[in-house]
mmCIF file of all heavy atoms in Angstrom:
data_model
loop_
_atom_site.group_PDB
_atom_site.id
_atom_site.type_symbol
_atom_site.label_atom_id
_atom_site.label_comp_id
_atom_site.label_asym_id
_atom_site.label_seq_id
_atom_site.Cartn_x
_atom_site.Cartn_y
_atom_site.Cartn_z
ATOM 1 N N LEU U 457 -245.483 -53.975 -48.122
ATOM 2 C CA LEU U 457 -246.988 -54.325 -48.468
ATOM 3 C C LEU U 457 -247.823 -54.218 -47.335
ATOM 4 O O LEU U 457 -247.465 -54.687 -46.110
ATOM 5 C CB LEU U 457 -246.958 -55.892 -48.938
ATOM 6 C CG LEU U 457 -248.250 -56.307 -49.601
ATOM 7 C CD1 LEU U 457 -248.624 -55.457 -50.888
ATOM 8 C CD2 LEU U 457 -248.328 -57.786 -49.881
ATOM 9 N N GLN U 458 -248.948 -53.573 -47.447
ATOM 10 C CA GLN U 458 -249.924 -53.421 -46.399
ATOM 11 C C GLN U 458 -251.320 -53.807 -47.026
ATOM 12 O O GLN U 458 -251.609 -53.195 -48.001
ATOM 13 C CB GLN U 458 -250.062 -52.010 -45.868
ATOM 14 C CG GLN U 458 -250.987 -51.852 -44.740
ATOM 15 C CD GLN U 458 -251.298 -50.426 -44.304
ATOM 16 O OE1 GLN U 458 -251.208 -49.446 -45.085
ATOM 17 N NE2 GLN U 458 -251.614 -50.287 -43.090
ATOM 18 N N ARG U 459 -252.102 -54.741 -46.261
ATOM 19 C CA ARG U 459 -253.377 -55.095 -46.742
ATOM 20 C C ARG U 459 -254.211 -53.978 -46.074
ATOM 21 O O ARG U 459 -254.366 -54.130 -44.835
ATOM 22 C CB ARG U 459 -253.778 -56.430 -46.491
ATOM 23 C CG ARG U 459 -255.139 -56.872 -46.903
ATOM 24 C CD ARG U 459 -255.128 -58.329 -47.213
ATOM 25 N NE ARG U 459 -254.988 -59.250 -46.117
ATOM 26 C CZ ARG U 459 -254.775 -60.597 -46.041
ATOM 27 N NH1 ARG U 459 -254.493 -61.219 -47.234
ATOM 28 N NH2 ARG U 459 -254.692 -61.247 -44.984
ATOM 29 N N VAL U 460 -254.885 -53.240 -46.869
ATOM 30 C CA VAL U 460 -255.726 -52.024 -46.208
ATOM 31 C C VAL U 460 -257.199 -52.507 -46.091
ATOM 32 O O VAL U 460 -257.768 -51.807 -45.359
ATOM 33 C CB VAL U 460 -255.590 -50.773 -47.002
ATOM 34 C CG1 VAL U 460 -254.147 -50.181 -46.921
ATOM 35 C CG2 VAL U 460 -255.916 -50.791 -48.456
ATOM 36 N N SER U 461 -257.622 -53.490 -46.780
ATOM 37 C CA SER U 461 -259.030 -53.974 -46.563
ATOM 38 C C SER U 461 -259.160 -55.414 -47.114
ATOM 39 O O SER U 461 -258.563 -55.698 -48.083
ATOM 40 C CB SER U 461 -260.051 -52.977 -47.259
ATOM 41 O OG SER U 461 -259.937 -53.020 -48.640
ATOM 42 N N ILE U 462 -260.230 -55.905 -46.588
ATOM 43 C CA ILE U 462 -260.754 -57.263 -47.080
ATOM 44 C C ILE U 462 -262.268 -57.099 -46.999
ATOM 45 O O ILE U 462 -262.918 -56.970 -45.994
ATOM 46 C CB ILE U 462 -260.462 -58.515 -46.217
ATOM 47 C CG1 ILE U 462 -258.797 -58.668 -46.117
ATOM 48 C CG2 ILE U 462 -261.093 -59.798 -46.782
ATOM 49 C CD1 ILE U 462 -258.490 -59.909 -45.267
ATOM 50 N N GLY U 463 -262.780 -56.876 -48.231
ATOM 51 C CA GLY U 463 -264.282 -56.625 -48.267
ATOM 52 C C GLY U 463 -264.547 -55.365 -47.432
ATOM 53 O O GLY U 463 -263.820 -54.221 -47.591
ATOM 54 N N PRO U 464 -265.644 -55.382 -46.562
ATOM 55 C CA PRO U 464 -265.854 -54.122 -45.753
ATOM 56 C C PRO U 464 -264.906 -53.893 -44.587
ATOM 57 O O PRO U 464 -265.106 -52.945 -43.866
ATOM 58 C CB PRO U 464 -267.302 -54.364 -45.278
ATOM 59 C CG PRO U 464 -267.386 -55.838 -45.210
ATOM 60 C CD PRO U 464 -266.468 -56.463 -46.358
ATOM 61 N N PHE U 465 -264.070 -54.877 -44.356
ATOM 62 C CA PHE U 465 -263.168 -54.771 -43.160
ATOM 63 C C PHE U 465 -261.919 -53.838 -43.491
ATOM 64 O O PHE U 465 -261.082 -54.299 -44.251
ATOM 65 C CB PHE U 465 -262.760 -56.147 -42.744
ATOM 66 C CG PHE U 465 -263.878 -57.047 -42.175
ATOM 67 C CD1 PHE U 465 -264.504 -57.814 -43.193
ATOM 68 C CD2 PHE U 465 -264.320 -57.061 -41.000
ATOM 69 C CE1 PHE U 465 -265.622 -58.700 -42.808
ATOM 70 C CE2 PHE U 465 -265.423 -57.779 -40.594
ATOM 71 C CZ PHE U 465 -265.994 -58.680 -41.569
ATOM 72 N N LEU U 466 -261.798 -52.702 -42.800
ATOM 73 C CA LEU U 466 -260.720 -51.769 -43.084
ATOM 74 C C LEU U 466 -259.629 -51.760 -42.083
ATOM 75 O O LEU U 466 -259.871 -51.983 -40.753
ATOM 76 C CB LEU U 466 -261.323 -50.385 -43.236
ATOM 77 C CG LEU U 466 -262.657 -50.252 -44.146
ATOM 78 C CD1 LEU U 466 -263.032 -48.720 -44.091
ATOM 79 C CD2 LEU U 466 -262.303 -50.602 -45.573
ATOM 80 N N VAL U 467 -258.452 -51.453 -42.454
ATOM 81 C CA VAL U 467 -257.297 -51.375 -41.576
ATOM 82 C C VAL U 467 -257.564 -50.298 -40.460
ATOM 83 O O VAL U 467 -257.129 -50.421 -39.401
ATOM 84 C CB VAL U 467 -255.953 -51.283 -42.314
ATOM 85 C CG1 VAL U 467 -255.725 -49.822 -42.937
ATOM 86 C CG2 VAL U 467 -254.777 -51.595 -41.435
ATOM 87 N N GLU U 468 -258.145 -49.284 -40.811
ATOM 88 C CA GLU U 468 -258.444 -48.239 -39.903
ATOM 89 C C GLU U 468 -259.183 -48.632 -38.682
ATOM 90 O O GLU U 468 -259.166 -48.078 -37.687
ATOM 91 C CB GLU U 468 -259.166 -47.018 -40.572
ATOM 92 C CG GLU U 468 -258.413 -46.207 -41.580
ATOM 93 C CD GLU U 468 -258.410 -46.838 -42.994
ATOM 94 O OE1 GLU U 468 -259.106 -47.975 -43.115
ATOM 95 O OE2 GLU U 468 -257.850 -46.304 -43.892
ATOM 96 N N GLN U 469 -260.042 -49.689 -38.886
ATOM 97 C CA GLN U 469 -260.838 -50.203 -37.835
ATOM 98 C C GLN U 469 -260.247 -51.438 -37.157
ATOM 99 O O GLN U 469 -260.874 -52.091 -36.252
ATOM 100 C CB GLN U 469 -262.219 -50.599 -38.421
ATOM 101 C CG GLN U 469 -262.916 -49.422 -38.885
ATOM 102 C CD GLN U 469 -264.082 -49.768 -39.982
ATOM 103 O OE1 GLN U 469 -264.121 -50.853 -40.409
ATOM 104 N NE2 GLN U 469 -264.821 -48.853 -40.476
ATOM 105 N N ALA U 470 -259.087 -51.814 -37.618
ATOM 106 C CA ALA U 470 -258.456 -53.106 -37.084
ATOM 107 C C ALA U 470 -257.746 -52.822 -35.728
ATOM 108 O O ALA U 470 -257.373 -51.727 -35.375
ATOM 109 C CB ALA U 470 -257.410 -53.595 -38.130
ATOM 110 N N VAL U 471 -257.594 -53.859 -34.952
ATOM 111 C CA VAL U 471 -256.933 -53.863 -33.664
ATOM 112 C C VAL U 471 -255.764 -54.639 -33.667
ATOM 113 O O VAL U 471 -255.579 -55.663 -34.269
ATOM 114 C CB VAL U 471 -258.051 -54.344 -32.584
ATOM 115 C CG1 VAL U 471 -258.392 -55.764 -32.780
ATOM 116 C CG2 VAL U 471 -257.610 -54.127 -31.145
ATOM 117 N N GLY U 472 -254.706 -54.187 -32.789
ATOM 118 C CA GLY U 472 -253.406 -55.020 -32.739
ATOM 119 C C GLY U 472 -253.685 -56.326 -32.058
ATOM 120 O O GLY U 472 -254.580 -56.443 -31.330
ATOM 121 N N PRO U 473 -252.941 -57.416 -32.403
ATOM 122 C CA PRO U 473 -253.143 -58.665 -31.903
ATOM 123 C C PRO U 473 -253.099 -58.682 -30.445
ATOM 124 O O PRO U 473 -253.825 -59.542 -29.677
ATOM 125 C CB PRO U 473 -252.162 -59.554 -32.506
ATOM 126 C CG PRO U 473 -251.130 -58.643 -33.229
ATOM 127 C CD PRO U 473 -251.804 -57.494 -33.504
ATOM 128 N N ASP U 474 -252.236 -57.944 -29.808
ATOM 129 C CA ASP U 474 -251.920 -57.978 -28.284
ATOM 130 C C ASP U 474 -253.014 -57.109 -27.617
ATOM 131 O O ASP U 474 -253.015 -56.904 -26.372
ATOM 132 C CB ASP U 474 -250.493 -57.605 -28.060
ATOM 133 C CG ASP U 474 -250.080 -56.388 -28.740
ATOM 134 O OD1 ASP U 474 -250.926 -55.755 -29.440
ATOM 135 O OD2 ASP U 474 -248.948 -55.923 -28.500
ATOM 136 N N GLN U 475 -254.005 -56.566 -28.289
ATOM 137 C CA GLN U 475 -255.087 -55.857 -27.682
ATOM 138 C C GLN U 475 -256.404 -56.510 -27.682
ATOM 139 O O GLN U 475 -257.382 -55.961 -27.251
ATOM 140 C CB GLN U 475 -255.248 -54.404 -28.417
ATOM 141 C CG GLN U 475 -254.025 -53.538 -28.436
ATOM 142 C CD GLN U 475 -254.020 -52.328 -29.343
ATOM 143 O OE1 GLN U 475 -254.407 -52.452 -30.433
ATOM 144 N NE2 GLN U 475 -253.887 -51.190 -28.862
ATOM 145 N N VAL U 476 -256.477 -57.636 -28.370
ATOM 146 C CA VAL U 476 -257.668 -58.308 -28.724
ATOM 147 C C VAL U 476 -258.445 -58.813 -27.328
ATOM 148 O O VAL U 476 -257.813 -59.221 -26.416
ATOM 149 C CB VAL U 476 -257.491 -59.583 -29.494
ATOM 150 C CG1 VAL U 476 -258.723 -60.554 -29.580
ATOM 151 C CG2 VAL U 476 -257.020 -59.200 -30.942
ATOM 152 N N THR U 477 -259.807 -58.419 -27.365
ATOM 153 C CA THR U 477 -260.650 -58.958 -26.222
ATOM 154 C C THR U 477 -261.947 -59.458 -26.892
ATOM 155 O O THR U 477 -262.134 -59.276 -28.190
ATOM 156 C CB THR U 477 -261.031 -57.806 -25.172
ATOM 157 O OG1 THR U 477 -261.845 -56.823 -25.947
ATOM 158 C CG2 THR U 477 -259.700 -57.032 -24.696
ATOM 159 N N HIS U 478 -262.719 -60.087 -26.136
ATOM 160 C CA HIS U 478 -263.980 -60.561 -26.635
ATOM 161 C C HIS U 478 -264.813 -59.439 -27.122
ATOM 162 O O HIS U 478 -265.647 -59.696 -28.075
ATOM 163 C CB HIS U 478 -264.795 -61.321 -25.534
ATOM 164 C CG HIS U 478 -264.224 -62.688 -25.211
ATOM 165 N ND1 HIS U 478 -263.359 -62.964 -24.297
ATOM 166 C CD2 HIS U 478 -264.434 -63.883 -25.848
ATOM 167 C CE1 HIS U 478 -263.028 -64.274 -24.174
ATOM 168 N NE2 HIS U 478 -263.644 -64.829 -25.193
ATOM 169 N N ALA U 479 -264.668 -58.221 -26.639
ATOM 170 C CA ALA U 479 -265.442 -57.069 -27.016
ATOM 171 C C ALA U 479 -265.162 -56.711 -28.529
ATOM 172 O O ALA U 479 -265.993 -56.128 -29.281
ATOM 173 C CB ALA U 479 -265.151 -55.734 -26.195
#
Side-chain angles (χ1 to χ4, degrees):
L457 189 67
Q458 181 190 34
R459 186 151 66 196
V460 294
S461 68
I462 298 179
F465 299 91
L466 311 177
V467 73
E468 292 84 0
Q469 297 155 356
V471 64
D474 46 5
Q475 299 169 307
V476 167
T477 66
H478 285 96

